[in-house]
């Protein structure tokens, strides 16, 4: 598998779009639905009365799209039936996945399934529409659950005589990463801070992770441009491989979903040496409108 330097943006066999309550839910389909032979839309069983969900669903209905409102547990069986029915004897194929309004477990399930099941030579293009800036939640959200982003990426225990290295992609939730850091008491901790020149997101990330960042060496803190996924993939993979020489590494991609997608790809590529974890406060997110600000798209070839 390799990470393409130039993204594929046309002639898709299959496009997988998301249906959510944000206006940016339909942004990718407006550009790419006409460039795919088959499009399916993955909706949800909750928050269907919130904000623009009904309007977005009506938009997809006008396109005569195949809409599936379902729980996360049913997404992979649905995709498996579609792949078997339409592409069993076709190789390779090109698939577009819009992760903009997918929750992290859903995007991980979808991407892992495609990486694992598509035939060699197939390509997967991941599209994400950055949102306009929305202020972070106030106060500290306690960490109540930690574990693999999906079971398939739980990794192995590795050599228990080696120390643990935590690699965080930081988000702007106050001290969320610090809670995980304190729980693990890992010997080595590294942090990737997202840069977005179109908003002050980075400022909030640094402020709300100040205690953690002040405890790290300057050499352990990196920045990445959310609009340059190829560079992020190369830099993150290089660090992970170097750390694996002397420690057991756990990757925890908080912050922008674009890093979660890259983390899933790396977890698949480096399996079973790289567990990819998610962290949850087990609280329901308050529906918030996030208008699209900028599109990011990248491709990998299996």
């Amino acid at each position: 598998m390799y990470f393409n330097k130039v993204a594929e943006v046309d002639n898709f066999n299959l496009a997988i779009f998301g249906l959510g309550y944000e206006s940016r839910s339909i942004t990718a389909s407006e550009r790419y639905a006409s460039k795919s032979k088959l499009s399916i839309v993955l909706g949800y069983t909750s928050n269907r009365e919130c904000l623009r969900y009904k309007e977005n669903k009506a938009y997809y209905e006008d396109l005569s799209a195949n809409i599936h409102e379902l729980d996360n547990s049913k997404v992979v069986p649905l995709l498996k039936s579609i792949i078997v029915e339409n592409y069993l004897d076709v190789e390779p194929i090109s698939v577009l996945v819009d992760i903009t309004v997918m929750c992290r477990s859903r995007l991980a399930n979808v991407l892992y399934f495609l990486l694992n099941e598509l035939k060699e030579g197939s390509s997967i293009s991941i599209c994400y529409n950055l949102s306009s800036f929305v202020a972070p939640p106030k106060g500290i959200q306690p960490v109540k659950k930690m574990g693999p982003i999906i079971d398939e990426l739980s990794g192995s225990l590795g050599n228990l005589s080696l120390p643990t290295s935590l690699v965080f992609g930081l988000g702007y939730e106050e001290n969320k990463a610090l809670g995980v850091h304190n729980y693990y008491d890992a010997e080595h901790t590294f942090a990737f801070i997202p840069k977005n020149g179109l908003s002050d997101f980075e400022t909030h990330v640094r402020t709300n992770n100040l205690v953690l960042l002040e405890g790290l060496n300057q050499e352990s803190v990196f920045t990445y441009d959310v609009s340059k996924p190829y560079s992020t993939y190369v830099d993150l993979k290089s660090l992970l491989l170097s750390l694996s020489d002397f420690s057991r590494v756990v990757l925890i991609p908080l912050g922008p979903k674009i890093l979660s997608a890259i983390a899933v790809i790396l977890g698949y590529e480096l399996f079973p040496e790289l567990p990819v974890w998610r962290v949850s406060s087990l609280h329901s997110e308050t529906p918030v409108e996030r208008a699209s600000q900028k599109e990011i798209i990248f491709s990998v070839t299996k």
Side-chain angles (χ1 to χ4, degrees):
M1 188 187 76
Y2 61 90
F3 200 113
N4 301 4
K5 289 187 177 181
V6 179
E8 296 187 20
V9 295
D10 208 349
N11 297 323
F12 300 108
N13 298 94
L14 172 66
I16 303 170
F17 299 111
L19 168 57
Y21 51 71
E22 302 173 37
S23 59
R24 62 183 178 142
S25 171
I26 63 174
T27 303
S29 66
E30 290 175 329
R31 181 169 181 179
Y32 296 111
S34 63
K35 299 180 179 181
S36 178
K37 295 177 181 177
L38 175 65
S39 296
I40 64 170
V41 179
L42 302 179
Y44 291 90
T45 57
S46 61
N47 291 325
R48 292 189 292 187
E49 303 296 322
C50 298
L51 299 175
R52 295 184 57 87
Y53 191 96
K54 288 184 177 179
E55 291 92 333
N56 293 336
K57 183 176 179 179
Y59 162 82
Y60 283 119
E61 289 173 337
D62 288 341
L63 292 180
S64 298
N66 297 308
I67 302 173
H68 304 270
E69 294 172 293
L70 69 180
D71 296 329
N72 286 338
S73 62
K74 298 179 180 178
V75 169
V76 168
L78 171 68
L79 294 179
K80 185 171 294 187
S81 67
I82 291 172
I83 295 294
V84 170
E85 179 180 348
N86 294 280
Y87 306 111
L88 184 62
D89 299 320
V90 179
E91 55 177 305
I93 66 171
S94 178
V95 181
L96 172 75
V97 182
D98 174 28
I99 66 170
T100 302
V101 296
M102 290 186 183
C103 63
R104 294 173 199 275
S105 58
R106 177 168 292 195
L107 77 83
N109 273 313
V110 171
L111 294 181
Y112 184 88
F113 168 78
L114 294 173
L115 288 167
N116 197 52
E117 296 294 330
L118 293 183
K119 296 181 179 179
E120 186 175 351
S122 294
S123 66
I124 305 168
S125 297
I126 294 96
C127 177
Y128 178 65
N129 281 278
L130 282 172
S131 74
S132 55
F133 180 75
V134 175
K138 294 182 180 180
I140 297 175
Q141 304 295 317
V143 173
K144 294 185 178 180
K145 185 176 182 180
M146 292 184 292
I149 191 169
I150 54 174
D151 290 342
E152 292 83 353
L153 293 177
S154 58
S156 65
L157 291 175
N159 186 345
L160 297 180
S161 67
L162 295 177
T164 299
S165 290
L166 299 182
V167 179
F168 286 100
L170 295 183
Y172 66 3
E173 297 88 353
E174 186 175 352
N175 289 330
K176 192 172 187 178
L178 178 65
V180 181
H181 172 268
N182 290 341
Y183 175 82
Y184 262 105
D185 192 26
E187 186 164 338
H188 309 285
T189 299
F190 299 82
F192 277 74
I193 298 174
K195 295 176 60 177
N196 178 1
L198 301 177
S199 78
D200 58 352
F201 184 77
E202 181 185 352
T203 300
H204 286 273
V205 172
R206 290 184 179 275
T207 299
N208 288 341
N209 290 281
L210 183 60
V211 176
L212 173 65
L213 293 173
E214 286 182 337
L216 301 181
N217 296 324
Q218 185 175 355
E219 295 78 14
S220 300
V221 179
F222 307 88
T223 59
Y224 70 95
D225 189 334
V226 294
S227 66
K228 297 180 179 179
Y230 177 79
S231 298
T232 302
Y233 166 82
V234 171
D235 292 343
L236 185 54
K237 183 177 180 180
S238 177
L239 174 66
L240 295 171
L241 290 175
S242 65
L243 294 176
S244 66
D245 289 338
F246 61 86
S247 67
R248 296 177 295 130
V249 187
V250 180
L251 177 58
I252 308 171
L254 308 176
K257 290 179 190 174
I258 198 75
L259 189 68
S260 292
I262 294 172
V264 171
I265 292 167
L266 286 167
Y268 174 83
E269 189 177 10
L270 302 179
F271 180 85
E273 282 76 20
L274 179 65
V276 180
W277 278 34
R278 67 187 293 265
V279 180
S280 175
S281 301
L282 294 182
H283 72 281
S284 298
E285 180 180 293
T286 301
V288 176
E289 165 67 307
R290 294 178 174 88
S292 181
Q293 186 183 54
K294 180 181 180 180
E295 178 188 273
I296 301 168
I297 186 168
F298 66 92
S299 305
V300 295
T301 301
K302 183 175 177 181

